Amino acid sequence: MIHTNWHERETIKTLKCVHTNAKKYIVNNKLTTGKVYEVKNETEEFYFIVDNSGKVGGYYKEYFEEVK
């Protein structure tokens, strides 16, 4: 049950949001283009980040690029 302690988990990496042009879902109220987010977990298709609401949410990887 990894989702119960995501806020306390170590940040895996940081990502920058490059766009919020979602085809199916509304994400522009949870993500901000140009803002850097902390990744708490990652799957093949999604990043689980602390979004603008302060909660952990899963978002498609296409919205982000890795910060170097």
Side-chain angles (χ1 to χ4, degrees):
M1 295 189 12
I2 191 172
H3 67 281
T4 59
N5 65 353
W6 265 337
H7 282 285
E8 294 81 32
R9 292 179 60 94
E10 185 177 324
T11 299
I12 298 171
K13 57 184 162 185
T14 56
L15 301 172
K16 180 179 174 183
C17 180
V18 292
H19 73 84
T20 58
N21 303 327
K23 297 173 189 166
K24 189 173 182 182
Y25 303 102
I26 298 173
V27 297
N28 61 354
N29 58 352
K30 298 292 182 184
L31 300 176
T32 303
T33 303
K35 186 174 178 183
V36 176
Y37 295 95
E38 297 179 349
V39 178
K40 297 298 183 175
N41 193 25
E42 179 180 359
T43 63
E44 287 183 28
E45 194 173 3
F46 297 101
Y47 288 123
F48 292 89
I49 63 161
V50 179
D51 61 20
N52 294 347
S53 69
K55 298 180 181 177
V56 175
Y59 299 93
Y60 287 114
K61 290 184 173 184
E62 69 183 63
Y63 303 125
F64 303 97
E65 69 180 13
E66 201 164 328
V67 175
K68 295 177 177 154

